[in-house]
Amino acid sequence: MVTMHNFLAVDAGGTSTRAVLVSPSGTCLGYGESGAGNPVSRGFRGAADAVLRASRKALGGSARPVHSATVAMAGASLAQPPGLLLEHLREFNPAQGITIESDLLAVFYSGSYHDAGHALIAGTGAVAARVEGGRLAAVADGAGWLLGDSGSGFWLGREAVRAVAAALDGRGPGTALTEGVLAQLGLQADPAVGASGRTGTLQQLINAVYGFMPVQLSRFAPRVFDVPADPVARDIMDRAAAALAGTLLAVGGGGPGGPLVFGGSVLTKGAPVAAAVVEEVSLRRPGARPVPVLVHDGVAGAAVLALKRHGIAVDAIVFGRIASSLAALRD
Amino acid sequence: MVTMHNFLAVDAGGTSTRAVLVSPSGTCLGYGESGAGNPVSRGFRGAADAVLRASRKALGGSARPVHSATVAMAGASLAQPPGLLLEHLREFNPAQGITIESDLLAVFYSGSYHDAGHALIAGTGAVAARVEGGRLAAVADGAGWLLGDSGSGFWLGREAVRAVAAALDGRGPGTALTEGVLAQLGLQADPAVGASGRTGTLQQLINAVYGFMPVQLSRFAPRVFDVPADPVARDIMDRAAAALAGTLLAVGGGGPGGPLVFGGSVLTKGAPVAAAVVEEVSLRRPGARPVPVLVHDGVAGAAVLALKRHGIAVDAIVFGRIASSLAALRD
């Protein structure tokens, strides 16, 4: 079923959207990025616009129609009729239409060409998936900042600001997080106690934090990684790792069941958290010592999915070609 | 300084507002209630309207001017100029003007006529105060649902729905909370796994919970008290109690420092939580075994404050008169 046409593959994420034009042999020919493409937070039209902009960049000036478009999006979009997105992408005239895939699956395939294994993703949100036969067999968490996302960037940021508030009124121990959080908010310490019975510092912190959308507290997650030796920060990282390990184990992850892929900034930029998740999984499932593959996004996996779904075998050579040609384009 | 006029005393709370007309001897002559009067959540005008409506009811048809008005409100209102509220209440023509007091202080004085002691309040939010010389000497928590309120009704409700979500996707143990939470939301169990890799039950729960304002999750707090024998509910109550004990200890509470007043539905309706807070304080401060006075709101305390602020001594007899005459009016 190999054709002369190329495939458009897109990873529409909560922070940015990435598109690649990939040949049937796995050579990435064009790459483009645009803004947030999560239909849950941006709405379906906003997400579709982001997909369109990234795709145009990936195709450059090429007017040649693509064989098909594969778009990886957050779970809830799987229920959307692909016709809506096809309408948005009609200028690429995909002969074989458009396929919406799970963004979790795309992250998994960014780290593996096998059709079974596990993925754990901790960015703004947190979710784990077990993949079987190239499909999502089980998903845990990903329930959003209020109901779940335990150990996510939001969760870390919220724990950081809560720890600072507790330190400021004596409910919790002093912490090196305070300096970083106050500096990020541009606040000066003001230890005078006002009529409310609170210090000026804490009152300013309260006023500043409630000016954010809750999910924006993920912006404070890096402050936890800034001070890894601080006991309060260490405790937050340990609890995040325990929660993430629990999420991974809930989908049956961590056992000898194929590759394990880690994605999202909490795991890819927060090395202590990733290491602690592996440690925790080893403790809770004796004998298992998973070696995770770290991936930064799902665009390579979207390309893998595009090829696989059209009957093209993706082996170590094709997978390596996708990875290396994509890296060259992104440099 | 005793005058022939009576005092208007109001407790403007997050759920309802209560006003009482009290004589210089402590006899409550009229009582009225209205809706939410928290200026943080309702805005200052909405809160002032609630104060006005409750006050009209308390005064009945009386056109006699009051000596003064004392209005207990959430902490942030203390920074508001009383002139705004006076303008709203001008029909009562308070000869000695209007005084805005802390709602924490009003709750404390609902349980004690002494001028030093401690209060711990856990309703939708959670806060502790140390009172010295009739003023707030220290306050801990009360930092709102996102930044604090550990152990509050919001916190309990959020932990309940998170525990149900975790039970539904296998991250957490099964719990009797699931039945109560699903029933409250009118959801039926649907164990079939959809394309998103989640059960229908969990997807419905996610859809329902994100339809609420976050702080409305406090509505689920009673589900925790419904199943006190459930290990997950028990753990949530234990963690709430530990957090509330920490908040109380942060203001120096729990020691032999005068009366201890407990307010808010989590402590007054959640007997296991109140008992566990006392237990936790005893463990963490050996020798202390506080016996809290439970109060339902701050309206009696607002009356105490009205009298005290105008030089009228409130002793056990006057305090008892306020309590008994108020109870008769509220029957």
Side-chain angles (χ1 to χ4, degrees):
Chain A
M1 256 194 70
V2 175
T3 76
M4 55 180 296
H5 290 312
N6 299 317
F7 301 86
L8 175 64
V10 186
D11 174 39
T15 308
S16 65
T17 297
R18 296 151 290 261
V20 67
L21 184 69
V22 60
S23 80
S25 66
T27 302
C28 294
L29 304 165
Y31 175 76
E33 290 184 4
S34 65
N38 184 329
V40 178
S41 53
R42 287 213 57 190
F44 196 80
R45 177 163 297 273
D49 283 341
V51 170
L52 179 63
R53 286 197 307 280
S55 299
R56 280 179 177 157
K57 289 182 190 168
L59 267 73
S62 161
R64 207 163 58 145
V66 299
H67 180 76
S68 72
T70 298
V71 181
M73 286 186 142
S77 345
L78 299 175
Q80 292 276 355
L84 286 175
L85 198 55
L86 185 56
E87 177 62 23
H88 235 79
L89 300 180
R90 63 185 178 280
E91 70 188 64
F92 307 122
N93 192 23
Q96 296 295 315
I98 196 164
T99 308
I100 300 183
E101 294 276 2
S102 155
D103 56 346
L104 306 183
L105 218 44
V107 168
F108 173 75
Y109 278 121
S110 282
S112 171
Y113 56 91
H114 296 288
D115 291 326
H118 299 89
L120 177 65
I121 307 168
T124 300
V127 64
R130 187 176 81 242
V131 178
E132 277 179 16
R135 306 278 165 187
L136 290 178
V139 167
D141 207 348
W145 62 274
L146 194 53
L147 202 46
D149 286 355
S150 301
S152 67
F154 165 77
W155 188 98
L156 284 160
R158 189 197 61 185
E159 290 301 300
V161 295
R162 288 180 74 92
V164 170
L168 289 173
D169 72 8
R171 285 175 294 129
T175 166
L177 289 166
T178 304
E179 194 181 349
V181 167
L182 293 182
Q184 185 170 342
L185 290 166
L187 300 180
Q188 304 289 328
D190 169 14
V193 174
S196 66
R198 285 202 188 97
T199 63
T201 316
L202 180 52
Q203 194 59 58
Q204 287 181 73
L205 178 70
I206 292 172
N207 298 346
V209 165
Y210 287 95
F212 290 105
M213 302 272 288
V215 77
Q216 293 177 324
L217 293 190
S218 61
R219 296 177 187 176
F220 296 95
R223 301 294 75 75
V224 180
F225 304 141
D226 286 347
V227 290
D230 179 72
V232 173
R234 180 80 245 173
D235 176 61
I236 293 173
M237 284 192 279
D238 285 348
R239 288 185 291 121
L244 292 170
T247 298
L248 180 57
L249 291 166
V251 293
L260 172 64
V261 178
F262 276 9
S265 57
V266 170
L267 293 168
T268 58
K269 296 179 186 166
V273 176
V277 170
V278 170
E279 191 64 37
E280 183 83 15
V281 167
S282 308
L283 286 171
R284 289 164 68 173
R285 187 155 299 179
R289 181 97 207 167
V291 180
V293 179
L294 268 60
V295 302
H296 288 283
D297 56 53
V299 66
V304 171
L305 279 163
L307 269 53
K308 281 185 182 266
R309 293 291 191 252
H310 290 88
I312 301 172
V314 178
D315 57 14
I317 291 168
V318 175
F319 188 75
R321 193 179 291 132
I322 291 172
S324 58
S325 58
L326 181 61
L329 287 171
R330 292 175 97 168
D331 262 350
Chain B
M1 255 194 70
V2 175
T3 77
M4 56 178 298
H5 290 311
N6 299 316
F7 301 87
L8 175 64
V10 187
D11 175 38
T15 307
S16 65
T17 297
R18 294 152 290 261
V20 67
L21 184 70
V22 61
S23 81
S25 66
T27 302
C28 295
L29 305 165
Y31 175 76
E33 290 184 3
S34 64
N38 184 327
V40 178
S41 53
R42 288 213 56 190
F44 196 79
R45 179 163 294 275
D49 283 341
V51 170
L52 179 62
R53 285 196 308 280
S55 300
R56 282 180 177 158
K57 290 182 190 169
L59 267 73
S62 162
R64 208 165 56 146
V66 298
H67 180 76
S68 71
T70 298
V71 181
M73 286 186 141
S77 345
L78 299 174
Q80 292 277 354
L84 285 176
L85 197 55
L86 184 56
E87 178 62 22
H88 235 77
L89 300 181
R90 63 185 178 280
E91 71 188 62
F92 307 122
N93 192 22
Q96 297 294 315
I98 196 164
T99 308
I100 300 183
E101 294 276 2
S102 154
D103 56 344
L104 306 184
L105 217 44
V107 169
F108 173 75
Y109 278 121
S110 282
S112 171
Y113 55 91
H114 297 287
D115 290 327
H118 299 89
L120 177 65
I121 307 168
T124 300
V127 64
R130 187 176 81 241
V131 177
E132 278 179 16
R135 306 277 166 188
L136 290 178
V139 167
D141 206 349
W145 62 274
L146 195 52
L147 202 45
D149 285 355
S150 300
S152 66
F154 165 76
W155 188 97
L156 284 160
R158 189 197 60 186
E159 290 302 300
V161 294
R162 288 180 74 93
V164 170
L168 289 173
D169 71 8
R171 285 175 293 128
T175 166
L177 289 166
T178 304
E179 195 181 348
V181 167
L182 294 183
Q184 185 170 341
L185 290 166
L187 301 179
Q188 304 288 329
D190 169 15
V193 174
S196 66
R198 285 201 189 98
T199 63
T201 316
L202 180 52
Q203 193 60 57
Q204 286 181 73
L205 178 70
I206 292 172
N207 297 346
V209 165
Y210 288 95
F212 290 104
M213 303 271 288
V215 77
Q216 294 177 324
L217 294 190
S218 60
R219 296 177 187 177
F220 296 96
R223 301 295 75 75
V224 180
F225 304 141
D226 287 347
V227 290
D230 179 72
V232 172
R234 180 80 245 174
D235 176 63
I236 292 173
M237 283 191 279
D238 286 348
R239 287 186 291 120
L244 291 170
T247 298
L248 180 57
L249 290 166
V251 292
L260 172 64
V261 178
F262 276 9
S265 56
V266 170
L267 292 168
T268 57
K269 296 179 187 166
V273 176
V277 170
V278 170
E279 190 63 38
E280 183 84 15
V281 167
S282 308
L283 285 171
R284 288 163 69 173
R285 187 155 300 179
R289 180 99 206 165
V291 180
V293 178
L294 268 59
V295 302
H296 288 283
D297 56 54
V299 68
V304 171
L305 279 162
L307 268 53
K308 281 185 182 263
R309 293 291 190 253
H310 290 89
I312 301 172
V314 179
D315 58 14
I317 291 168
V318 175
F319 188 74
R321 192 179 292 132
I322 292 173
S324 58
S325 58
L326 181 61
L329 288 171
R330 294 175 96 168
D331 261 350

